[in-house]
Amino acid sequence: MVVAALVSTVLAIGADALIRSQESDFAFTRTELATRRVSAAVRQGSMQNPLPAGPYGVRFLQVVDADGHVTAASRAAAGRPPISTVVPPPENRLKRMYACPARGGGCLSVVAVRVTMAPRSPVVYGARPVPTILAGPYLELVLTACALLLVAMATFTTWQVVGRTLRPVGAVRGQLAEISISDLSRRVPEPQGEDEVAQLARTANLTLDRLERSVRRQQQFASDAAHELRTPIAALRLNLEEIALRPGDAEAGEAARAALRSTDRLEGIVTDLLLLAQIGTAADIPEDVDFSALVDGEVRARRPASGGPDDRRPPVAVNAELAPGLLVRGVRAQLERLVDNLLDNALQYAATTVDVRLGRSAGDAVLTVGNDGPEIPPADRERVFERFARLDTARSRDAGGTGLGLAIAREVANAHHGSLAIDDVTSGTRFSLRLPLLDGPDAQAPSDASPR
């Protein structure tokens, strides 16, 4: 649009200058020719009265003496005062000018010719009316209107062409925005033709094909590896249990029990890796889940809570305040694992109390799980969700954890279009989970889910 406006402005200015220049040259040339003829007739003494009108619209001709009296005139100029009072000097006997008489009739292109070089030489004036469109700003107005019309047409045409060209791009962008790692089978629409947009769509689909194959191979590898590892782990466990049951060899039994604990940890890692490979895949069928009942069941399974693995810690109280009837859409087994991991993490690091709150806020089910144990530094609040992440604090997983619990919890939350984060609290640690509700936003104010 800017380019069209600039081009139209330049064209309009150029056209205005050209038209005025051509008309001026034409008018003065024809007027000068008619005026010189009358001047020659005056010098030769063959002047007629009234003067014959000149060609090309030169209708106003006058012969004015040195005293300013009109001595001869054409019929159109008869009875009028002198066309001009300008007298050309002897050294330059011809003068061109514009004049707009007070009596009206528009402006004139005037040529004044001094008949002789004598001091009291008469002067012949010839005039031709200036076209009305050139007498005022009319030509500029017409050219401005034409320029605006040209800009409007160029803008409309560009809008149509660009819109037709970018419409497939918008469709491709919209489809790409809907494609997620959980469903890579979708493809962008491919417009017909061989232009850049069609090639872009085809390239995007080829990239999606390669990405889908790569993700499937990765998921298949993780799943196969986890399944293959389960068999030797089960056999190893069986052998170690047989050794541990031998009463005669105390050292072998203790070593076997230590190996069994390591086997439990290895089995937990394999199970968690298999779950991570399955999260968000087509094998998981979502359903309507009563999230309130699910959380309540997980909390009841941990009451009364015991101390840590070494049984030297005092029992941990689990306080719960759950809003009933909150429904979400998801895979029940994964949601159970998510809540289970949050509760296990809270119980592991709590000093005396774990607080669980479930409510609704802005169309989401909000579950907070807090404990009064060590605080996670702000710099590490994202790192704890990484796979196998360990902190150099009292939260290092030395109790047999796999290092994947919180990573699994966040993956499940993201796969269910929710979020999991650590809140800012004055003491201890509080995890906040948000999942979309099936019944949408609630008109009531969100409940206070703070465990503190």
Side-chain angles (χ1 to χ4, degrees), residues 347-373:
L347 289 169
Q348 181 177 354
Y349 300 111
T352 60
T353 306
V354 170
D355 289 302
V356 182
R357 299 288 183 269
L358 177 63
R360 63 167 67 211
S361 173
D364 292 334
V366 181
L367 172 67
T368 59
V369 180
N371 66 82
D372 58 354

Side-chain angles (χ1 to χ4, degrees), residues 133-403:
I133 195 172
L134 301 179
Y138 308 112
L139 177 61
E140 286 74 13
L141 293 176
V142 171
L143 291 176
T144 300
C146 293
L148 292 177
L149 179 60
L150 180 61
V151 171
M153 293 177 60
T155 302
F156 178 77
T157 303
T158 303
W159 180 271
Q160 292 292 323
V161 172
V162 173
R164 189 180 302 109
T165 303
L166 295 183
R167 195 173 297 115
V169 177
V172 171
R173 181 194 58 79
Q175 190 69 17
L176 283 175
E178 296 178 1
I179 295 175
S180 64
I181 194 66
S182 61
D183 184 13
L184 291 174
S185 61
R186 303 176 67 174
R187 295 295 179 267
V188 302
E190 296 184 7
Q192 298 180 352
E194 295 295 332
D195 57 7
E196 288 76 6
V197 177
Q199 294 178 11
L200 173 64
R202 284 192 287 271
T203 302
N205 284 335
L206 291 175
T207 303
L208 289 173
D209 288 337
R210 292 193 296 268
L211 179 61
E212 183 181 15
R213 289 194 297 268
S214 176
V215 171
R216 285 182 177 177
R217 284 196 299 266
Q218 180 183 8
Q219 292 175 343
Q220 188 63 40
F221 169 77
S223 179
D224 293 343
H227 281 297
E228 292 297 327
L229 285 173
R230 281 184 168 182
T231 300
I233 290 175
L236 177 60
R237 170 184 289 278
L238 179 60
N239 294 332
L240 291 174
E241 289 176 349
E242 290 180 357
I243 296 175
L245 291 175
R246 296 177 184 177
D249 193 343
E251 293 183 358
E254 182 62 28
R257 283 188 289 272
L260 278 172
R261 289 194 293 270
S262 299
T263 304
D264 289 340
R265 176 173 171 77
L266 180 60
E267 187 174 14
I269 292 175
V270 172
T271 301
D272 289 347
L273 286 175
L274 179 59
L275 178 60
L276 281 172
Q278 292 175 341
I279 292 175
T281 62
D284 299 324
I285 301 176
E287 57 180 313
D288 295 348
V289 178
D290 187 340
F291 195 59
S292 299
L294 185 150
V295 175
D296 183 63
E298 295 295 325
V299 170
R300 290 179 182 276
R302 287 163 176 77
R303 285 177 171 169
S306 62
D310 53 7
D311 292 329
R312 291 178 294 180
R313 290 171 51 194
V316 177
V318 180
N319 302 322
E321 183 179 328
L322 311 178
L326 300 183
L327 300 179
V328 300
R329 181 76 174 172
V331 181
R332 176 178 291 276
Q334 293 182 7
L335 293 175
E336 289 176 349
R337 183 60 183 274
L338 188 161
V339 177
D340 180 75
N341 286 359
L342 293 179
L343 292 175
D344 284 348
N345 181 80
L347 289 169
Q348 181 177 354
Y349 300 111
T352 60
T353 306
V354 170
D355 289 302
V356 182
R357 299 288 183 269
L358 177 63
R360 63 167 67 211
S361 173
D364 292 334
V366 181
L367 172 67
T368 59
V369 180
N371 66 82
D372 58 354
E375 180 183 359
I376 298 179
D380 294 324
R381 289 180 182 175
E382 282 299 315
R383 195 160 66 89
V384 297
F385 294 106
E386 298 177 0
R387 301 179 184 184
F388 302 108
R390 298 179 184 276
L391 304 182
D392 297 329
T393 66
R395 286 185 168 270
S396 61
R397 297 181 179 89
D398 54 4
T402 65

